[in-house]
């Protein structure tokens, strides 16, 4: 019988035992999140209290036992690492920083991924000529964030930011450049396509899943219908002149216009139009599946799905979003997937 195990580290403390852990990571959001619920009493000793903790509630990473807590041991900004699995085959599922501490019936720690290092950062800089990669290098300077080697290096002119939050800058990249922006661990990616391993060290081997074996529930996996619209990328200059870049598709009379920054390269805009048209045209299997903690699956992974009951659902899928849970009810991953190709 498999036993659920964990290795949770917060700040200088390791071996922390949680009541419950939940985490979420998506290619549609640059903020990965994790919530850790701990028993309240061991961590709430008042200053000067003579009450002692039992040995082994937690240890420092150096291995020293913590027997007394005369003040609260965690603080905002502490580094957080959460590894989970079975029988001590623990894999890192979240890495980030403590953002908020909530005192409820349990002690609830709200954590964020590496985007947290940009949360309180303000950015002021002007560029006559630059690139997307240079802006992101300047934005992440002084942090532990690494830039993905797969960032679309778009040339840009006359860009300026005045006392903007770093999150606003990333949102500007999403909106004005029509980019997907997300983190893969500490690697930041921004580009036209989300079908990217932002971390170059990640294995590209597909994860094998089988419905009824290591997939608990696939009832929500069904055909997604096409939007049936023509995608046009629209630029408007200072004089009000509109320029449109159309995708290659000529199937539909209904048009959906996506605004983009004026002056982007024509080949880049064509790629954006093609990518967004593909998303609009998508008509294949997608939805949520529920799995155990193993095999370990992360957003961006390729999944080889086997389904003997409904073989038409079998094939290669992309993991778009992960919502995980670990607690008294067991360990689960709910994965939003979509099949490659139409």
């Amino acid at each position: 019988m498999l036993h659920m195990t964990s290795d949770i580290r917060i700040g200088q403390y390791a071996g922390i035992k949680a009541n419950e852990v939940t985490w979420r990571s998506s290619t549609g959001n640059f903020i990965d999140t994790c919530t850790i619920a701990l028993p309240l009493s061991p961590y709430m000793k008042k200053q000067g209290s003579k009450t002692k903790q039992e040995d082994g509630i937690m240890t420092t990473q150096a291995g020293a036992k913590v027997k007394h807590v005369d003040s609260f041991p965690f603080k905002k900004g502490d580094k957080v690492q959460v590894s989970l699995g079975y029988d001590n085959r623990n894999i890192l599922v979240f890495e980030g920083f403590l953002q908020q501490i909530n005192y409820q019936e349990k002690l609830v720690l709200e954590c964020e991924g590496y985007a947290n290092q940009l949360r309180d950062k303000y950015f002021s800089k002007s560029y006559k000529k630059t690139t997307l990669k240079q802006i992101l290098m300047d934005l992440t300077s002084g942090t532990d964030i690494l830039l993905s080697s797969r960032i679309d290096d778009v040339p840009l002119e006359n860009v300026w930011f005045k006392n903007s939050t770093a999150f606003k800058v990333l949102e500007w990249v999403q909106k004005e450049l029509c980019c997907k922006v997300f983190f893969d661990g500490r690697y930041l990616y921004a580009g036209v396509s989300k079908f990217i391993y932002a971390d170059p060290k990640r294995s590209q081997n597909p994860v094998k899943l089988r419905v009824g074996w290591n997939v608990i529930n696939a009832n929500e996996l069904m055909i997604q219908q096409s939007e049936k619209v023509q995608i046009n990328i629209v630029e408007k200059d200072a004089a009000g002149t509109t320029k449109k870049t159309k995708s290659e598709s000529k199937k539909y009379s209904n048009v959906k216009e996506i605004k983009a920054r004026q002056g982007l390269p024509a080949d880049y805009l064509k790629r954006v139009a093609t990518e967004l048209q593909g998303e609009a045209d998508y008509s294949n299997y997608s939805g949520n599946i529920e799995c155990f903690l193993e095999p370990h699956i992360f957003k961006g992974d390729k999944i080889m799905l086997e389904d003997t009951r409904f073989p038409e659902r079998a094939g290669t899928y992309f993991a778009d979003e992960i919502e995980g849970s670990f607690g008294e009810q067991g360990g689960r991953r709910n994965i939003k997937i979509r099949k490659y190709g139409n």
Side-chain angles (χ1 to χ4, degrees), residues 165-177:
T165 66
F167 279 13
K168 286 293 184 184
V169 176
L170 295 182
E171 289 167 0
W172 178 89
V173 173
Q174 288 176 318
K175 182 180 178 181
E176 297 291 319
L177 307 185

Side-chain angles (χ1 to χ4, degrees), residues 91-110:
I91 296 293
L92 187 69
V93 300
F94 175 84
E95 185 174 23
F97 303 88
L98 180 55
Q99 169 61 21
Q100 186 167 316
I101 301 169
N102 298 320
Y103 308 100
Q104 303 172 9
E105 291 183 2
K106 298 175 182 177
L107 181 63
V108 179
L109 307 180
E110 296 182 11

Side-chain angles (χ1 to χ4, degrees), residues 20-35:
E20 184 179 13
V21 178
T22 59
W23 69 99
R24 184 175 184 272
S25 182
S26 169
T27 58
N29 193 330
F30 56 77
I31 305 177
D32 295 339
T33 60
C34 179
T35 301

Side-chain angles (χ1 to χ4, degrees), residues 2 84-87 89-91 209 214 291-297 331 333:
L2 297 176
L84 305 172
Y86 300 107
D87 296 335
R89 298 189 302 271
N90 301 323
I91 296 293
L209 295 178
N214 52 10
C291 304
F292 298 105
L293 292 179
E294 289 184 355
H296 293 281
I297 301 170
R333 271 187 175 89

Side-chain angles (χ1 to χ4, degrees), residues 58-239:
M58 56 186 177
T59 62
T60 65
Q61 291 192 23
K65 296 290 184 182
V66 177
K67 298 182 180 179
H68 306 271
V69 177
D70 291 329
S71 60
F72 191 68
F74 310 128
K75 65 183 183 302
K76 182 177 176 179
D78 276 348
K79 181 75 177 292
V80 177
Q81 292 177 308
V82 178
S83 298
L84 305 172
Y86 300 107
D87 296 335
N88 292 315
R89 298 189 302 271
N90 301 323
I91 296 293
L92 187 69
V93 300
F94 175 84
E95 185 174 23
F97 303 88
L98 180 55
Q99 169 61 21
Q100 186 167 316
I101 301 169
N102 298 320
Y103 308 100
Q104 303 172 9
E105 291 183 2
K106 298 175 182 177
L107 181 63
V108 179
L109 307 180
E110 296 182 11
C111 311
E112 293 179 339
Y114 274 87
N116 183 263
Q117 291 195 320
L118 300 175
R119 176 171 285 281
D120 298 323
K121 186 170 185 176
Y122 284 83
F123 188 66
S124 295
K125 202 168 182 68
S126 352
Y127 305 88
K128 188 173 182 180
K129 287 189 177 182
T130 188
T131 62
L132 170 58
K133 190 169 186 178
Q134 184 60 56
I135 291 174
L136 295 179
M137 286 177 63
D138 294 340
L139 184 70
T140 58
S141 175
T143 72
D144 299 316
I145 296 168
L146 302 175
L147 296 187
S148 171
S149 59
R150 299 181 172 96
I151 289 174
D152 275 313
D153 207 11
V154 190
L156 299 166
E157 294 184 359
N158 301 319
V159 178
W160 59 273
F161 303 97
K162 184 177 180 181
N163 208 29
S164 297
T165 66
F167 279 13
K168 286 293 184 184
V169 176
L170 295 182
E171 289 167 0
W172 178 89
V173 173
Q174 288 176 318
K175 182 180 178 181
E176 297 291 319
L177 307 185
C178 301
C179 280
K180 308 296 190 294
V181 180
F182 58 84
F183 278 86
D184 187 355
R186 67 171 60 190
Y187 284 90
L188 173 61
Y189 167 76
V192 173
S193 176
K194 65 182 176 182
F195 301 104
I196 293 290
Y197 289 93
D199 182 348
K201 297 178 291 184
R202 281 269 301 278
S203 169
Q204 298 188 28
N205 296 325
V207 181
K208 295 181 180 180
L209 295 178
R210 187 168 74 213
V211 177
W213 179 50
N214 52 10
V215 176
I216 305 166
N217 188 332
N219 292 340
E220 295 183 23
L221 191 58
M222 57 188 67
I223 293 286
Q224 175 183 313
Q225 297 301 321
S226 165
E227 292 184 39
K228 297 182 178 179
V229 294
Q230 169 77 38
I231 298 296
N232 289 347
I233 308 299
V234 178
E235 308 167 75
K236 186 176 287 188
D237 62 21

